[in-house]
Amino acid sequence: MKPFLRSSSFIALLALVYSAFLSSNAYAQTEPRSRVVVTDNLSQPESTPDRVPAKNALPELRTKISMAVSRPSLRKGSIGVKVISLDSGETVYERDADKYFMPASNMKSFTVAAALDKLGPDHRFVTSFYASEPPSNGVLKSDLIIFGRGDPSFSWRFNDGNWLKAFDDLADRLIALGIKRIEGDIVGDGSYYSSEPIPYGWEWDDLQWYYGAEVSALSVNDNVVVMRVSPSTEGLAPSVRFEPTSGLFRVFNTAKTVARGEKKTLKITKRIRDNAFEISGNLPQNDPGFSGPITVSNPPQVFADLLKQRLGLKGIVVSGTARGVDRFDRGEVLNTEELAEILAYPSPPLSIIAENTMKPSQNLYTEMILRSLGEAAGPENSSKASDEKGMAIVSELLAKAGVDPRDVVQYDGSGLSRHNLITPSSSAMLYKYLDTARFSAFWKNSLTIGGVDGTLRRRFKSSEALGNVRGKTGTLDQVSALSGYVTSKAGERFAFSIITNGIPDADSRVSAIDNIVLQIANLEGKTYLETVQAIK
């Protein structure tokens, strides 16, 4: 019998196996098989020939944020953080996110968003000009009543820095109606709002500065006037000027101009609910003095006075005076049923007003938006005040956003009241909801941009957050906050809210907040379950 190794059947078998091997190897070289690999950054799998892991970013992010909130400068205060991945919908970091914090101007996010949601970005607030009867033969034989409904645009801010342009435009419109003489008063009417002109919880020493301006349905130049106090001859009182000027402003000037080099003790005090200004102390001759915005009282009267001035300069004779009234003077809102509307003046769209409110963090505009929202969309025949009706609309938005109503305690629209409370979770969840709201583009346009504009224009320069982070700041004594959006280097989008309370040093508060935002912006991996293509 022949040996087995030389049998023909065995040789044939070897040939068949070798042929199959060559065939499969050739196929592998010409038709490589793609492998789709799923990696979970929350629980990193071991690397195997069938899995190619992505960078595990979540532990890195959590570690870095935890380090940022553990700074010694923050230990005596409180810091709350909530970060949500908009791509996965998951919370990627939180610390004391369900505890109460004073929000400062982060409160504006809730108010402005509710107005955009309820009224729409194209909504306009209409200011109506009423008279007992239409003008005849160029003569208006009654008072001219300007009834405000919350348009903040009668301001230098909407008119290229010109304090009087809005009033010249109004005068031109009245001239276009053929009016040459008004045989009555110019009456500014702010009775549309039933709320008090000073919101609950505002502190008295805020009330003379621009951020504490009196709230009215008929506003004028942000309800402030620029006061300029300059040294004069030694021994004499400093000079005091206003821009724009008005005969309504009274000055009690007991200050003295003193020699160069002496100590400056100048003090300026505005009386509450009165357009009276007290100037006292010493002002050296070589000192630049004071120049800045001071609030005005009875804005409807100031509005009427400025309009009367401009009408006179353009040739319209007004036989009466300039007066101002509000709901408390009149006892009720103006009854327009027996009046003739001779001019309706619409505001810019709400989307533009929102930008001019959120980016510079304008308190007055936010309070006007809250009250106008309450009157325009709140429950009819309600005995509640205008601001309370507006807050009810804010609560409706919170419900849509899935925010527990107990997470937001609102006392005003702007955040200047020290009684407001929110949780970082409520703010972050609001921003998450607004990311896909129907008015999302208008909402995001209203937010300040890191290193570019608004209250963030000086922050995040030369960083990954430059032009990237968008949000709303908040600042009060011992309080700083920032809520908004930021995109990481890996392209992942986040909504976040960071609030600090009880920390006296402002630099420490802001530095901690910015550091957290930069940790998110600089993240190179993603924090969620993702699908990647393996190397072929």
Side-chain angles (χ1 to χ4, degrees), residues 172-313:
D172 290 339
R173 290 178 182 238
L174 293 171
I175 291 171
L177 295 175
I179 298 175
K180 298 178 181 178
R181 182 179 178 84
I182 299 174
E183 295 182 347
D185 295 340
I186 306 295
V187 183
D189 192 305
S191 65
Y192 186 59
Y193 295 161
S194 59
S195 305
E196 292 284 348
I198 305 300
Y200 182 81
W202 285 20
E203 297 187 352
W204 71 268
D205 53 349
D206 290 334
L207 302 182
Q208 80 174 35
W209 308 114
Y210 71 93
Y211 51 83
E214 187 175 306
V215 183
S216 174
L218 185 63
S219 72
V220 48
N221 285 317
D222 300 359
N223 293 349
V224 299
V225 62
V226 171
M227 174 187 285
R228 305 187 194 281
V229 182
S230 305
S232 60
T233 303
E234 184 178 342
L236 299 181
S239 66
V240 180
R241 295 178 294 116
F242 294 99
E243 182 184 350
T245 60
S246 172
L248 301 175
F249 304 144
R250 295 175 295 132
V251 177
F252 299 90
N253 189 356
T254 61
K256 182 185 295 185
T257 303
V258 296
R260 294 171 178 267
E262 291 196 32
K263 185 178 180 180
K264 178 180 180 179
T265 60
L266 185 70
K267 183 179 180 181
I268 298 170
T269 304
K270 179 192 173 295
R271 296 179 183 175
I272 296 177
R273 301 301 305 272
D274 188 5
N275 285 316
F277 305 87
E278 299 176 356
I279 316 295
S280 60
N282 295 334
L283 183 61
Q285 281 192 317
N286 62 328
D287 193 277
F290 171 82
S291 179
I294 302 288
T295 59
V296 299
S297 295
N298 197 347
Q301 184 182 25
V302 178
F303 187 109
D305 183 68
L306 290 181
L307 180 58
K308 183 175 181 289
Q309 287 183 38
R310 306 317 287 179
L311 289 172
L313 289 173

Side-chain angles (χ1 to χ4, degrees), residues 237-450:
S239 66
V240 180
R241 295 178 294 116
F242 294 99
E243 182 184 350
T245 60
S246 172
L248 301 175
F249 304 144
R250 295 175 295 132
V251 177
F252 299 90
N253 189 356
T254 61
K256 182 185 295 185
T257 303
V258 296
R260 294 171 178 267
E262 291 196 32
K263 185 178 180 180
K264 178 180 180 179
T265 60
L266 185 70
K267 183 179 180 181
I268 298 170
T269 304
K270 179 192 173 295
R271 296 179 183 175
I272 296 177
R273 301 301 305 272
D274 188 5
N275 285 316
F277 305 87
E278 299 176 356
I279 316 295
S280 60
N282 295 334
L283 183 61
Q285 281 192 317
N286 62 328
D287 193 277
F290 171 82
S291 179
I294 302 288
T295 59
V296 299
S297 295
N298 197 347
Q301 184 182 25
V302 178
F303 187 109
D305 183 68
L306 290 181
L307 180 58
K308 183 175 181 289
Q309 287 183 38
R310 306 317 287 179
L311 289 172
L313 289 173
K314 289 178 175 288
I316 296 182
V317 178
V318 180
S319 62
T321 62
R323 297 188 288 118
V325 296
D326 59 23
R327 181 77 67 94
F328 305 98
D329 296 320
R330 191 184 293 283
E332 59 182 0
V333 67
L334 175 68
N335 184 351
T336 62
E337 292 183 0
E338 297 181 359
L339 297 175
E341 184 182 60
I342 63 173
L343 176 64
Y345 188 92
S347 74
L350 177 58
S351 59
I352 301 300
I353 293 174
E355 288 184 34
N356 282 275
T357 300
M358 293 286 280
K359 288 181 181 292
S361 199
Q362 225 291 344
N363 289 343
L364 171 66
Y365 295 0
T366 322
E367 299 300 339
M368 295 175 72
I369 288 172
L370 180 68
R371 287 154 179 75
S372 295
L373 172 64
E375 292 300 330
E380 294 183 5
N381 302 318
S382 171
S383 60
K384 291 184 176 180
S386 302
D387 57 347
E388 293 176 313
K389 290 190 283 188
M391 291 175 199
I393 306 298
V394 174
S395 295
E396 292 180 10
L397 174 64
L398 295 178
K400 291 181 182 180
V403 175
D404 187 331
R406 296 171 297 180
D407 282 3
V408 177
V409 180
Q410 186 174 16
Y411 278 85
D412 70 5
S414 63
L416 188 58
S417 173
R418 274 69 171 180
H419 295 279
N420 293 310
L421 292 171
I422 69 170
T423 65
S425 180
S426 67
S427 184
M429 289 178 66
L430 175 69
Y431 274 75
K432 177 186 176 183
Y433 172 78
L434 296 174
D435 179 59
T436 56
R438 67 186 186 283
F439 54 89
S440 176
F442 298 101
W443 163 248
K444 291 174 183 175
N445 284 341
S446 77
L447 302 176
T448 181
I449 305 172

Side-chain angles (χ1 to χ4, degrees), residues 92-122:
V92 298
Y93 185 91
E94 58 184 346
R95 172 194 168 107
D96 291 341
D98 293 318
K99 290 187 176 181
Y100 282 134
F101 288 82
M102 194 185 305
S105 286
N106 261 212
M107 196 78 249
K108 291 181 174 68
S109 297
F110 296 84
T111 303
V112 173
L116 287 169
D117 178 64
K118 192 72 173 184
L119 302 178
D122 295 328

